[in-house]
Amino acid sequence: MLLIMWWNFVGRTDDEIRKAREDWMASDRFGEVKGYDGDRLPAPEVPATQLKARGRVR
């Protein structure tokens, strides 16, 4: 199975990455970082093109 990695998110599909960003921005599903004194970092916008998994380079 190939995975897609984008910013701090890992998923199997473009939709999973977009949902993870949505959840991050809504402070949903992801926990807090204890001991971090700053504001929550906003995730950058997902590119307009569809994210795709890359195969192994041999």
Side-chain angles (χ1 to χ4, degrees):
M1 173 193 325
L2 296 176
L3 296 174
I4 299 169
M5 293 177 57
W6 181 82
W7 197 59
N8 287 334
F9 308 122
V10 177
R12 294 172 295 237
T13 66
D14 179 81
D15 289 339
E16 285 184 0
I17 298 295
R18 291 177 191 281
K19 176 66 172 138
R21 183 193 182 273
E22 206 175 277
D23 291 348
W24 175 261
M25 296 303 289
S27 298
D28 190 23
R29 190 173 94 175
F30 297 99
E32 270 185 57
V33 177
K34 303 290 183 199
Y36 179 69
D37 200 22
D39 292 335
R40 182 184 198 97
L41 297 175
E45 291 289 331
V46 180
T49 58
Q50 184 174 9
L51 300 173
K52 295 180 182 179
R54 295 182 182 187
R56 289 185 178 212
V57 178
R58 295 178 192 223

